[in-house]
Amino acid sequence: MAAPSSSLATANVMLAIYEKKTVTVDLYRPLRQYIAFTYSEREAQNLEDDLLALKQMRSDLERPADSLPARRDLIQSYFKALCLVESRFPISPDRDHINSITFTWHDAFKQKQKAAQQNIHLEKAAVLFNLGAVYSQLGLSYDRSSVDGRRQAVQAFITAAGAFAFLRDNAAMKASIGSSTTLDVSVECSGMLERLMLAQAQECVFENTIAKGSTPMVCTKIARQVGLYYEEAFAALNVAPLSQHFDRTWISHVQLKAALFYGEACYRYGLELHQKEEIAEEIARLKSGISALSEAKKSSKGAAAQILEAITKLETNLNRNLERAVKENDRVYLMRVPSPSTLPPIPAFSMVKSMPMNEVLDASKERMFSSLVPDSSAKALSRYTEMVDDIIRTQAEKLQQGSELARVRLKEMDLPDSILALEGNATLPTDLKEDVEAVQICGGPAGLETELRQLMDLRRVNQELLLQPEELLQKEAREDAQFRSQFGTRWTRPQSSTLTKNLQDRLNRFAANLKQASESDARIERSVKEHMPLMSILDCRPIESALPTLARPIMSLDANEDAIVGALKQSLRQLETLGAQRAGLEDMLKEMKRKDDILPKLMTSTGSYEDLFRKEIAKYDNICEDIAQNIEAQEQLLLQIQAQNDEFAAIFNLEDYKACTVSSELQQMVVEKDLLFIWYFRDCCQQFSFRDMPNAWTGTTCLLLADVAKLIHNRVNMVHSHGSRMNKTRASSHQLMFASREKSYKQIAAAIAKFREIKENVNEGLKFYVTLQDAITNIKQQCSDFVMTRNIQCREMIEDVQRQMAGLSFQDSKNNGAYSYQTQRAASQQQTDAVNMTNPSRPQAPYYQPPAPEQPTMPGYPHSLPPPYGSSTQQPPPPPYIVGGPSPYPQQAQQQPPPSHEYGQPAYPGWRGPYYNNAHAQQPGSLPRPPYTVPGPYPPPHQSGYYKQQ
């Protein structure tokens, strides 16, 4: 559906920004006096022309402009001059500065409000604001009814947006620091005006797009971006501090434009959806656009009549398309209309952006006041900058060295990895962990078995599907051979084997592909079984549970393990805090360097520069002291952590953990030996009372203790001997693995690589079987059509043969008079029975039912054509490969030509044979060859890797 003319033809009302007004300021006399006093009278005379030029530009700025281009050039030149003045003349309320100049500017939107400051920042901000305002007026001055005019307007609006963006980023903040300021040069207002100018530039692009007749989707994206820009401007106007500063007509204008272009985007998007027949979403989009327009019209007070007219026209178009879409959906599509809140955002594309103004406003090449260079101040500033840079470089190196030292020392002590291993919180490298998560998301190794079953099911389906066309062709060939033997030379049609060679070849190729695929499947299955022990580690959730852990001692004499671990963790937290402090100190250094500007002080200083340098450098002493204290505290803390870690390693046997992780069975065996030792010692000691007095220790007591010690020694040796035999036996039977963390990482990486390899092979197999199934389905349809066509021809030939035989019988009866009417009828009945014997069972429904309401009857035949031999009662869909030209299965009954006894003539309406009669060449203008000789739309699948066609 072609899009009607744009509803925005009369909605090209746009906004221009008025300039700020100022009062007269004399720059000539104060600046000349400063030059004469600071430098010399001669220097002031040499710069007389520059001072007069600056005075003239300021005077021209105070008067209305004769033309917009001239006004634009004046503002840009004056801003560059202000940049030169700022770097050479210190204008401020300070006593030693130029304090007799006061810049006064009125608010552009509320003329009664004004600001006055004794610095150049307000002057620069106001000039930038006026530059953006002039460019906005230039954009409205162009004739936007032409393509060139719209392009010029776009350029003007994006330049205005660039001016407001430059104001926001470079001058607005400085201007707001003064004693008084106006809201129009604030950061918030300049940002809002930038969005407004971009919206109007994008709107001009949209008008050009409509004029060129672009597609609905292109128009949709551009219109939606226009609406987004207006929505951003409207959002800024609705919040403080701008909410009470602008006139209501401004807010209504921006709000209506935002709603208008949202509705326009919905309208254009609806056209695109209608072409794609996505009626449900079209209805939802149209309703959303109508709702937005209706809501915006409630706040239309003070808006331009052209915008209201455009909204009304657009609303009419939306309602018309909505009514059409609803009718079509109710009658044809019957789709459920989604809620507008569930729809994805309308796509948008911005064709404009704010123009960078750095080059336009660059004053580096200007020659004004070029001779006025305070050499001493420049050299002093350069020297001071070098001193500051040296301090910052030295302190930054100390901070970096402290952080690197802490990292290396912790690495040597295997911290905090050993603490994490003790708590069961060992971590993987980030890239390895992401790979494991990706594997687990797609099912992991356990999911491969499910995919293998899917692979086998698809192979079985393809094999069963491939048998069906083969059986059809074989059945048809047997019937053809039966009739050929029955009728002899009268059966003149070609043999089935000569016609089905191409089909048989394709079926054989498919069978070979299936055989090769089965072998590939077997290799994949074997690979899964072989590598499942390796890949099973990927099923651990979380994967960190598969890493070696550090076990706590089962028993302890003083039970101080928790205290040691807690103290070590506390020290690590303190070390982390020191590292965060170093990062903050480094940022503080950079911020101090950025804000350290002593140029005004240098230019006004009358004493020694060295004194000023010492005073200014002293402000870095505190942060340097903080850095030294941080480094010293870290040194002490690292020594404390070293001692705590040594104690931790001794208790938890950390050296053994670093080397390898013992299997759970061996750990349990060691625990059992320790417990046996303690139990034996306790039992033996209970045989002697330690409450006796010291003088009670006799020779008998000593002998008893010796027996106890000997018993304990024998028991312990027995346990150790038994444990050694257990170690060897279990190591030989269970093949215990000693896996370090690095080995675990390598094992996980190898498992991921093998999983991806098998996964890729399985996906390739699934893709192969799906593609092959489509191809087999296609050739099955071709075989079915071939069999159906042969059955129709078979009936025609049988009837033709019967007519020939009936004609011969009539001639014999006429010449001899030997046959009576009953005899002829009996003979005819016998022939019919013979034919029926060749077709013992006929289904009631034809194999293929055309879409016509009724099968046309043949002239000369009392009834419609009988169903084909061996047809199925099901009705498959029409062959997808028959495209173009008249169908061999007519849709309506046509006038049938008289039947002919010559084989190959039309047997039913639409027949354009001869398909099988080789004696008759195809006539020009006839239909293409029968469907089963047309190459199918699905070529034999060509796969790579495991699945390659033979």
Side-chain angles (χ1 to χ4, degrees):
M1 174 180 177
S5 60
S6 174
S7 60
L8 301 177
T10 60
N12 55 359
V13 178
M14 296 183 182
L15 295 177
I17 314 299
Y18 290 107
E19 292 186 54
K20 290 171 66 67
K21 302 299 182 181
T22 186
V23 298
T24 302
V25 176
D26 181 18
L27 295 178
Y28 173 80
R29 183 170 298 152
L31 295 184
R32 192 183 189 285
Q33 290 177 354
Y34 176 82
I35 296 173
F37 178 78
T38 306
Y39 298 97
S40 65
E41 179 63 26
R42 184 172 182 178
E43 189 70 27
Q45 294 176 358
N46 293 337
L47 296 175
E48 186 75 19
D49 293 339
D50 292 341
L51 291 172
L52 291 174
L54 180 64
K55 177 182 177 181
Q56 185 62 40
M57 284 189 290
R58 187 59 168 81
S59 178
D60 293 341
L61 190 69
E62 298 167 0
R63 297 192 299 268
D66 296 333
S67 66
L68 291 175
R71 187 71 172 180
R72 174 199 60 198
D73 297 339
L74 170 64
I75 293 175
Q76 291 180 173
S77 299
Y78 182 62
F79 181 81
K80 295 176 183 178
L82 288 177
C83 294
L84 299 176
V85 169
E86 182 183 15
S87 62
R88 290 166 174 83
F89 300 94
I91 302 175
S92 73
D94 292 350
R95 177 179 169 181
D96 298 331
H97 291 179
I98 304 175
N99 53 17
S100 60
I101 296 178
T102 302
F103 298 102
T104 303
W105 288 90
H106 292 268
D107 193 291
F109 305 103
K110 289 187 180 295
Q111 295 290 333
K112 295 182 180 180
Q113 299 180 6
K114 64 179 181 179
Q117 294 184 15
Q118 287 181 294
N119 61 62
I120 205 169
H121 302 309
L122 177 62
E123 182 82 353
K124 291 176 66 177
V127 171
L128 286 173
F129 182 93
N130 284 355
L131 180 61
V134 169
Y135 271 111
S136 70
Q137 297 172 24
L138 278 172
L140 261 68
S141 67
Y142 294 118
D143 179 17
R144 300 199 307 279
S145 62
S146 63
V147 175
D148 291 338
R150 287 190 290 268
R151 289 177 180 172
Q152 291 174 339
V154 169
Q155 190 67 24
F157 284 132
I158 64 175
T159 308
F164 288 120
F166 192 86
L167 166 63
R168 178 197 62 206
D169 298 335
N170 297 277
M173 187 62 68
K174 295 179 181 179
S176 63
I177 298 177
S179 58
S180 65
T181 184
T182 54
L183 197 57
D184 54 353
V185 294
S186 64
V187 174
E188 295 81 5
C189 186
S190 55
M192 183 276 295
L193 293 176
E194 180 198 11
R195 297 290 99 181
L196 179 61
M197 294 299 104
L198 289 176
Q200 296 186 158
Q202 183 86 359
E203 185 174 352
C204 295
V205 175
F206 177 74
E207 292 174 358
N208 262 343
T209 305
I210 295 298
K212 290 191 300 184
S214 300
T215 62
M217 195 61 193
V218 174
C219 297
T220 297
K221 294 181 178 180
I222 297 178
R224 184 64 191 115
Q225 187 59 50
V226 178
L228 290 177
Y229 282 138
Y230 275 117
E231 289 172 9
E232 293 173 359
F234 178 69
L237 286 170
N238 267 344
V239 297
L242 305 181
S243 56
Q244 304 298 327
H245 192 73
F246 283 85
D247 188 73
R248 182 60 193 172
T249 56
W250 267 67
I251 300 177
S252 298
H253 175 89
V254 175
Q255 183 180 8
L256 288 177
K257 278 295 185 86
L260 177 62
F261 279 95
Y262 176 76
E264 186 72 23
C266 293
Y267 172 71
R268 300 287 171 180
Y269 199 31
L271 298 178
E272 177 74 14
L273 294 172
H274 194 81
Q275 293 177 0
K276 297 180 179 179
E277 298 185 357
E278 298 178 6
I279 303 301
E281 185 176 354
E282 178 190 4
I283 294 173
R285 294 293 185 185
L286 294 176
K287 288 182 178 180
S288 179
I290 295 172
S291 175
L293 293 179
S294 301
E295 186 67 24
K297 287 170 67 177
K298 298 177 182 179
S299 305
S300 60
K301 183 178 179 180
Q306 294 93 327
I307 299 179
L308 296 177
E309 180 183 351
I311 288 179
T312 303
K313 183 178 179 181
L314 177 60
E315 196 170 11
T316 302
N317 292 338
L318 288 169
N319 284 318
R320 183 182 64 250
N321 287 4
L322 177 61
E323 182 180 358
R324 177 199 61 191
V326 169
K327 288 182 180 179
E328 292 181 1
N329 190 46
D330 293 341
R331 296 176 181 176
V332 180
Y333 298 98
L334 302 178
M335 296 181 180
R336 185 181 66 83
V337 178
S339 173
S341 61
T342 62
L343 297 175
I346 297 177
F349 185 77
S350 177
M351 298 291 292
V352 297
K353 64 178 181 179
S354 301
M355 176 175 288
M357 300 297 290
N358 294 323
E359 294 183 3
V360 177
L361 302 177
D362 183 19
S364 60
K365 297 180 181 179
E366 299 295 322
R367 303 298 302 169
M368 182 177 286
F369 302 117
S370 59
S371 62
L372 191 63
V373 179
D375 185 65
S376 58
S377 298
K379 291 181 179 179
L381 180 63
S382 175
R383 181 182 174 188
Y384 176 78
T385 304
E386 291 178 357
M387 295 171 62
V388 173
D389 290 342
D390 182 65
I391 292 175
I392 292 178
R393 181 171 54 254
T394 302
Q395 299 302 319
E397 289 178 355
K398 289 182 179 179
L399 293 173
Q400 295 175 0
Q401 290 174 0
S403 299
E404 183 67 18
L405 176 63
R407 187 188 65 82
V408 172
R409 295 284 295 276
L410 290 179
K411 186 68 175 177
E412 292 174 353
M413 291 183 285
D414 200 25
L415 291 174
D417 292 342
S418 57
I419 298 294
L420 295 175
L422 176 64
E423 297 175 347
N425 295 326
T427 58
L428 283 175
T430 304
D431 53 349
L432 192 60
K433 184 176 179 62
E434 292 176 354
D435 292 341
V436 173
E437 290 176 350
V439 170
Q440 292 178 347
I441 288 174
C442 63
L448 292 177
E449 298 179 356
T450 303
E451 295 186 359
L452 283 177
R453 289 194 294 270
Q454 294 177 359
L455 205 63
M456 291 185 289
D457 292 341
L458 282 175
R459 183 179 69 230
R460 177 182 53 79
V461 169
N462 278 274
Q463 291 172 347
E464 295 174 355
L465 194 61
L466 188 61
L467 292 177
Q468 298 176 12
E470 293 178 352
E471 293 174 353
L472 285 174
L473 296 180
Q474 292 173 3
K475 182 177 180 182
E476 194 279 330
R478 290 194 302 270
E479 294 172 356
D480 180 71
Q482 182 179 357
F483 285 118
R484 191 175 304 279
S485 62
Q486 179 180 353
F487 294 104
T489 57
R490 292 187 180 92
W491 198 258
T492 59
R493 70 173 183 172
Q495 293 184 2
S496 298
S497 59
T498 62
L499 299 176
T500 60
K501 185 177 184 303
N502 291 334
L503 294 175
Q504 290 289 354
D505 291 343
R506 292 179 60 188
L507 290 175
N508 292 336
R509 287 198 301 270
F510 291 160
N513 289 339
L514 272 177
K515 181 180 178 182
Q516 184 179 4
S518 299
E519 298 174 355
S520 300
D521 295 344
R523 289 196 298 270
I524 294 176
E525 188 173 1
R526 288 195 302 268
S527 179
V528 170
K529 292 181 179 179
E530 291 174 0
H531 298 93
M532 185 56 71
L534 171 65
M535 297 186 297
S536 60
I537 193 175
L538 301 178
D539 283 328
C540 297
R541 295 176 184 268
I543 187 61
E544 288 80 5
S545 62
L547 297 178
T549 59
L550 184 61
R552 290 176 173 269
I554 298 301
M555 298 191 66
S556 175
L557 297 178
D558 51 5
N560 62 343
E561 295 86 2
D562 293 336
I564 293 174
V565 172
L568 183 57
K569 292 169 64 175
Q570 179 65 24
S571 299
L572 291 175
R573 283 193 292 267
Q574 294 177 5
L575 187 64
E576 185 178 0
T577 302
L578 290 176
Q581 289 179 359
R582 285 195 300 276
L585 291 172
E586 187 173 1
D587 293 338
M588 190 181 302
L589 276 174
K590 295 178 181 178
E591 185 67 16
M592 290 182 64
K593 173 65 172 64
R594 187 181 66 83
K595 294 181 178 180
D596 192 6
D597 183 13
I598 65 168
L599 179 61
K601 296 181 180 180
L602 286 173
M603 297 180 66
T604 58
S605 176
T606 58
S608 173
Y609 286 144
E610 297 297 329
D611 296 337
L612 180 62
F613 290 162
R614 284 192 296 269
K615 180 180 178 181
E616 293 297 324
I617 288 294
K619 59 189 175 186
Y620 291 95
D621 292 343
N622 292 334
I623 191 170
C624 292
E625 186 178 354
D626 293 340
I627 292 174
Q629 291 178 358
N630 182 280
I631 299 298
E632 180 65 23
Q634 178 178 273
E635 287 292 337
Q636 299 297 328
L637 188 59
L638 285 175
L639 294 176
Q640 177 181 335
I641 291 175
Q642 180 67 57
Q644 293 173 345
N645 187 67
D646 293 341
E647 190 175 3
F648 171 79
I651 293 178
F652 289 91
N653 201 10
L654 192 59
E655 294 300 326
D656 290 344
Y657 168 74
K658 291 180 180 180
C660 60
T661 301
V662 188
S663 68
S664 58
E665 294 186 15
L666 288 179
Q667 289 180 359
Q668 184 63 28
M669 184 186 64
V670 174
V671 169
E672 291 174 356
K673 292 193 297 180
D674 294 339
L675 288 177
L676 285 174
F677 178 86
I678 296 171
W679 289 336
Y680 288 142
F681 183 78
R682 184 193 60 187
D683 293 340
C684 294
C685 290
Q686 286 178 354
Q687 299 178 17
F688 181 79
S689 175
F690 289 93
R691 292 173 298 178
D692 295 341
M693 297 297 294
N695 55 8
W697 292 84
T698 61
T700 305
T701 304
C702 295
L703 291 176
L704 178 60
L705 289 178
D707 293 338
V708 170
K710 184 177 181 180
L711 175 62
I712 292 175
H713 178 72
N714 294 335
R715 297 287 184 148
V716 170
N717 288 340
M718 180 183 68
V719 171
H720 278 276
S721 177
H722 178 67
S724 300
R725 290 194 298 270
M726 288 177 60
N727 289 347
K728 295 179 180 179
T729 304
R730 293 183 181 183
S732 61
S733 59
H734 299 285
Q735 297 181 354
L736 298 176
M737 299 298 295
F738 293 87
S740 65
R741 280 179 299 169
E742 295 297 330
K743 290 182 180 179
S744 298
Y745 296 162
K746 294 179 181 179
Q747 179 185 358
I748 293 174
I752 291 173
K754 181 55 65 176
F755 174 85
R756 288 175 174 173
E757 177 186 349
I758 296 176
K759 180 74 173 177
E760 182 180 356
N761 293 333
V762 171
N763 291 339
E764 187 177 356
L766 293 173
K767 180 180 178 182
F768 166 80
Y769 283 124
V770 171
T771 306
L772 183 61
Q773 184 175 353
D774 293 339
I776 294 176
T777 303
N778 177 49
I779 195 172
K780 175 187 174 183
Q781 184 64 44
Q782 295 182 27
C783 294
S784 300
D785 294 339
F786 167 75
V787 172
M788 181 188 70
T789 307
R790 293 278 287 180
N791 288 338
I792 294 173
Q793 187 185 32
C794 175
R795 293 199 307 270
E796 293 173 355
M797 289 196 66
I798 291 174
E799 293 169 356
D800 193 14
V801 171
Q802 289 176 351
R803 286 194 295 270
Q804 292 178 8
M805 295 175 64
L808 293 175
S809 300
F810 177 75
Q811 290 294 332
D812 293 340
S813 62
K814 183 177 180 181
N815 294 332
N816 301 326
Y819 296 101
S820 64
Y821 173 75
Q822 293 79 3
T823 306
Q824 295 175 1
R825 184 174 181 180
S828 177
Q829 183 65 30
Q830 292 176 359
Q831 294 173 359
T832 303
D833 293 342
V835 173
N836 290 337
M837 291 178 62
T838 62
N839 298 295
S841 61
R842 292 190 179 184
Q844 297 301 322
Y847 178 83
Y848 176 81
Q849 182 65 32
E854 182 180 357
Q855 179 71 23
T857 59
M858 298 293 299
Y861 293 88
H863 303 288
S864 61
L865 292 174
Y869 177 80
S871 64
S872 173
T873 58
Q874 297 179 355
Q875 299 180 2
Y881 46 82
I882 300 180
V883 293
S887 172
Y889 306 102
Q891 301 296 326
Q892 299 177 357
Q894 302 176 1
Q895 183 66 30
Q896 184 68 22
S900 172
H901 293 287
E902 179 184 3
Y903 174 69
Q905 294 301 318
Y908 56 95
W911 184 264
R912 293 295 185 270
Y915 286 162
Y916 306 102
N917 193 350
N918 296 331
H920 300 277
Q922 185 174 352
Q923 298 299 325
S926 61
L927 287 178
R929 293 185 59 82
Y932 53 85
T933 61
V934 179
Y938 301 98
H942 297 277
Q943 304 292 337
S944 63
Y946 273 95
Y947 300 92
K948 293 184 180 179
Q949 185 179 355
Q950 290 183 345

